[in-house]
Amino acid sequence: MAQRYQLLIRDRHGFERTVPLSRSVTLGRQSLCDVVLSDSMISRNHLRLELRDDIWWAEDLQTTHGSFYKDQQLGRVPWEIGTPLRLADGAYTLTLLSTNQSSSELHLQAILETAQLLAEEVDLEDLLDQSMDRLLSISGTDRGFLMLLENGELTTKVQRNLGQELEGSIQLSLSSVHKVFETGDPVWILNVADEYHLQHQHSIQRLELKTILCLPLVLQGRRLGVVYLDSRRPITEPPDRETFEAIVALCAIAIERTRLSEENLRSHVLATVGQVASSIVHDFKNGLFVLRGHADLLELSTEDHKIRHHCRKILECVDRLTHLSQDVLDFAKVREPNRETVELRGFLDAILGVQLRAEGPACKVKLDPARFTRVMENLMANALDATKDMSGEVLVSWTQVTGGVQIHVRDLGQGIPRKVIKRIFEPFFSYGKKKGTGLGMATVKKIVEEHGGTLEFISEEGVGTEVIITLPEHPITGTIKTLDESTGNHRAIGAEGA
């Protein structure tokens, strides 16, 4: 009979969830933790759980609000099964659970739990997290990552037990990962000691690996990505290979189903934007033009302060509605930028004024000054909003890179929650602004892509946000697809994010 452990997590509101436990688990607020706990009372790295000689040890990682076991503040103690452990004075209550199951029971349970992913309505990010947790628990490995094919490249979407100190080691494993993806042939090594031809490979020696499992995510002959798992110890109770490959296949089906569902929703939103833009926005702007003219004339024709006050209120509303309609039109139309060669420092200095700090070498870049000004104004407005209550700093910097230039807009503000980040480019989604069209970041992304560039968004709560724009030195022209305004179909996932 195999013994398996689970962690029952109950938050301050009474909501519960169960997480399978591997030999070592870190809990905390930052996204790199094995189990992420979002309550603000929880430290970024709060608690470490470790199994040694069949005993679970719990260790508080010198946190601000502490951890408590048997009503005593926790340092490092052996944790008894079934005895509650409190984090941050009750933000979460943890309970260690143990089950004894036969191998066949474990395999059946693992398949059924994975199959549930096909019935649940979860977003892609949560689905990938759950898939990674299940695969680690079933395989008994300690570390792993899951990669999906995006824009022709394998991109890491989820990683476990791969902190900053191990990032360099990830690169050493990528050659085998790419080989598995390209050939579709899995790597299944339960003990390197049994594989003589691998014992002298430099990467395996350096990582001190004992177990390596790498399998392609395949659906109907089409490879979606790769799951990579490894451990520095041999697996004493290895999973049944056929069962494990079936579970990986179920994960692939669930991932593609969720991804298609999100893409269909996104296409529907874009179609709505296109239809609105083509049917009413032009007429709407004409009506606003007439309204502005009459309000201007009325304000100029009277000395009555009350009437002039009301006229200015009307004009303020007209300006907001004009801005909204222009954002919709800009987002719905894809256009070729009218590029000019500009000196980057002078261009950015003219936009930044004296509020922000700018750093970078002298360099020139081809861009559409009018369109790209909107990009920088949106990003800087978001950065200043994020720091207005924290007296934080906003830094705009740029560097020349191979084949182009990178522009960084970084603030030391409040940051953005993980759940919000993935919606930051969604049409009509707004976060942190009482007044906003919800198209600011959508328009930013679209203009950058029209220039042949890319946009990367990095944020962490309590730390700040950084937006990285990469512009090519020699942009490709004539390849931009125009929007079918009846369907709204073009590649963009945008909206104002702050």
Side-chain angles (χ1 to χ4, degrees), residues 450-497:
E450 288 172 355
H451 281 74
T454 59
L455 188 68
E456 184 178 2
F457 195 95
I458 304 169
S459 187
E460 185 173 346
E461 285 188 272
V463 177
T465 300
E466 181 175 17
V467 180
I468 304 172
I469 301 171
T470 303
L471 295 176
E473 185 177 2
H474 302 291
I476 299 173
T477 59
T479 60
I480 296 175
K481 298 179 181 179
T482 57
L483 173 75
D484 181 348
E485 293 188 346
S486 65
T487 65
N489 291 328
H490 71 75
R491 184 170 180 80
I493 55 173
E496 182 170 314

Side-chain angles (χ1 to χ4, degrees), residues 94 125 178 210 400:
L94 311 180
E125 185 175 339
H178 282 281
K210 297 296 187 295
Q400 288 181 300

